[in-house]
């Protein structure tokens, strides 16, 4: 079978059809033919047997499905690397393999597999400081361009491969001396987003331009979905910075919604990507920086413990490096005091775009769901290749089975997929795979 992946290129590759696998039948020999007729082949391991057979407890080769000597001659050799055309590998469907007695051959069956699809919530700081210059544009506009530009944005390129959602967070605008940043003027007739407010809460909650929100945190949300570029672009274009930076309280409100997603509808890893340009504070008090940092750490740690890692991007250089390091460590499951910098500094538009690309590329799953089951006794007969390079079963940089229905690519081989490997082939011989 052949999977075509092109990292960050908008090629789907997430529901990919493989070739034809076989289940065997007939009366051909499972060993060798010598004078006097077919003989049962002795063995010390599966490597001594024909394709489609395993070394049984009696020290003789037996067919995978029938469990009996004297069955099919097997499926022949694996397809050569690079035989795939598009997303389909050409695998012969006629009789193949070993001794080939009367009635020998394999009945073909379609076998499909697909790569797990990541679920990524993009969390963007909407505070008024995001309106500051960042190269030729503001921080806010640069982040928005990196994500939603129709020609170069991350979302239009990857919306078929990654389920994206978007949450923009802030505090309410000016509320009679509440200590929040004032909204910027000069757009839409006064304050940010017209008159006095901005998008107060999620679209589903009735937030609209010109209506000042009163609750905190203020979240503008687009739920996670495939092919979500148009929906995110529409909401993003209608939203501008205001207010302050209640990061901890916002993340605490966001991650439970991701955890609550139906695993049947939203299989695959769940991830948050946080892009912020300043140290956090608390709802109602933009000077409560120490409390804001503690709240951010607690929320990100709770999300990780719930199975939702967080990757952190610093938009500009205003965020305290120690705080970035601590929340990035917690978001990826490392000790909070670890000295390694695991956050992504973005001090110019190019670094910002690279940070988004690197993170999303890195969360692409290396797990492939099969539409059937592999006979575990025949797992060593399987063949997995990346760009024509054979991977070793049960090697730290090879592949393994997760149960009978998933192939998992590991280590450096997984990194190749995440970095844009163009072809993945998965093959099992006749009788080693049972379609459902």
């Amino acid at each position: 079978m052949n999977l075509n992946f092109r990292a960050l290129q908008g090629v789907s590759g997430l529901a990919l059809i493989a070739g034809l696998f076989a289940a065997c039948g007939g009366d051909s020999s499972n060993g060798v033919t010598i004078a006097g007729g077919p003989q049962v082949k002795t063995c010390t391991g599966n490597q001594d047997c024909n394709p489609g057979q395993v070394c049984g407890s009696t020290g003789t080769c037996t067919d995978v499905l029938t469990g009996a000597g004297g069955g099919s001659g097997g499926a022949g050799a694996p397809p050569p690397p690079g035989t795939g055309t598009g997303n389909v590998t050409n695998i012969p469907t006629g009789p193949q393999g070993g001794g080939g007695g009367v009635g020998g051959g394999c009945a073909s069956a379609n076998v499909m597999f697909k790569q797990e699809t990541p679920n990524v919530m993009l969390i963007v700081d909407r505070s008024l400081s995001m309106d500051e210059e960042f190269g030729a544009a503001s921080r806010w506009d640069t982040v928005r361009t990196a994500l939603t530009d129709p020609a170069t944005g991350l979302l239009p390129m990857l919306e078929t491969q990654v389920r994206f959602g978007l949450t923009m967070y802030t505090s309410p605008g000016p509320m009679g001396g509440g200590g929040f940043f004032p909204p910027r003027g000069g757009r839409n007739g006064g304050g940010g987003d017209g008159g006095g407010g901005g998008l107060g809460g999620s679209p589903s909650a009735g937030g609209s331009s010109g209506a000042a929100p009163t609750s905190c945190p203020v979240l503008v949300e687009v739920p996670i979905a495939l092919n979500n570029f148009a929906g995110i672009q529409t909401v993003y274009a209608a939203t501008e910075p205001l207010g302050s930076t209640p990061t901890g309280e916002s993340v605490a409100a966001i991650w439970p919604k991701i955890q609550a997603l139906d695993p049947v509808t939203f299989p695959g890893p769940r991830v948050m990507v946080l892009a912020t340009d300043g140290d956090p504070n608390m709802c109602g008090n933009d000077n409560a920086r120490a409390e804001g940092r503690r709240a951010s750490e607690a929320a990100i740690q709770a999300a990780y413990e719930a199975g939702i890692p967080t990757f952190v991007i610093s938009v500009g250089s205003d965020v305290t490096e120690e705080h970035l390091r601590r929340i990035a460590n917690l978001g990826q499951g490392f000790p909070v005091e670890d000295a390694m910098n695991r956050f992504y500094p973005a001090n110019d538009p190019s670094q910002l775009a690279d940070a988004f690309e690197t993170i999303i590329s890195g969360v692409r799953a290396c797990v492939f769901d099969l539409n059937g089951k592999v006979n575990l006794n025949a797992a060593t007969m399987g063949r997995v290749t990346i760009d024509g390079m054979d991977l070793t079963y049960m090697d730290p940089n090879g592949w393994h089975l997760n149960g009978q229905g998933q192939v998992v690519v590991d280590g450096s081989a997984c990194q190749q997929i995440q970095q844009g490997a163009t072809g993945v082939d998965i093959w099992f011989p006749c009788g080693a795979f049972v379609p459902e």
Side-chain angles (χ1 to χ4, degrees), residues 46-67:
N46 291 342
Q47 71 276 2
D48 298 329
C49 299
N50 292 336
Q53 297 178 324
V54 295
C55 187
S57 59
T58 60
T60 59
C61 296
T62 58
D63 294 340
V64 172
L65 290 186
T66 65

Side-chain angles (χ1 to χ4, degrees), residues 57-337:
S57 59
T58 60
T60 59
C61 296
T62 58
D63 294 340
V64 172
L65 290 186
T66 65
S72 165
T83 56
T85 302
N87 290 331
V88 179
T89 292
N90 298 318
I91 300 178
T93 60
Q96 308 163 61
V102 176
C106 294
S108 63
N110 287 329
V111 177
M112 297 180 292
F113 64 97
K114 63 182 180 179
Q115 186 186 31
E116 283 195 340
T117 303
N119 303 281
V120 177
M121 178 59 75
L122 301 165
I123 303 175
V124 179
D125 180 353
R126 189 191 166 194
S127 63
L128 193 64
S129 59
M130 288 288 285
D131 206 24
E132 294 183 7
E133 290 185 2
F134 194 66
S138 68
R139 295 171 179 175
W140 179 258
D141 290 336
T142 302
V143 173
R144 183 160 53 187
T145 297
L147 293 176
T148 65
D149 183 89
T152 62
L154 191 72
L155 294 175
M157 286 194 292
L158 288 179
E159 65 170 339
T160 62
Q161 300 180 49
V162 177
R163 297 186 192 95
F164 283 111
L166 173 69
T167 302
M168 296 167 282
Y169 73 95
T170 188
S171 65
M175 295 177 62
F180 300 108
F181 288 111
R184 63 175 166 184
R187 291 202 184 191
N188 298 327
D193 281 333
L199 293 171
S202 69
S204 60
S208 60
S209 181
T214 57
S215 62
C216 185
V218 178
L219 304 179
V220 177
E221 301 170 285
V222 181
I224 288 173
L226 274 180
N227 301 305
N228 213 10
F229 164 56
I232 289 176
Q233 184 187 43
T234 298
V235 174
Y236 213 154
T239 309
E240 299 294 345
L242 83 162
S244 193
T245 317
T247 303
E249 291 155 298
S250 299
V251 172
I254 294 166
W255 74 256
K257 301 176 185 180
I258 303 173
Q259 184 188 39
L261 293 173
D262 178 13
V264 175
T265 307
F266 299 90
R270 303 173 185 205
V271 174
M272 296 188 296
V273 179
L274 170 65
T276 182
D277 77 331
D279 282 353
N281 45 43
M282 299 293 291
C283 283
N285 187 354
D286 65 308
N287 294 316
R289 300 302 173 92
E291 294 89 339
R293 288 192 289 268
R294 287 194 293 269
S296 297
E297 292 178 14
I300 288 173
Q301 182 174 16
Y304 182 83
E305 291 173 352
I308 306 168
T310 303
F311 297 88
V312 180
I313 299 175
S314 171
V315 185
S317 58
D318 291 348
V319 192
T320 304
E321 184 173 296
E322 180 186 2
H323 174 64
L324 290 170
R325 183 166 52 248
R326 289 172 67 90
I327 62 175
N329 282 339
L330 292 169
Q332 298 177 51
F334 293 94
V336 67
E337 301 289 353

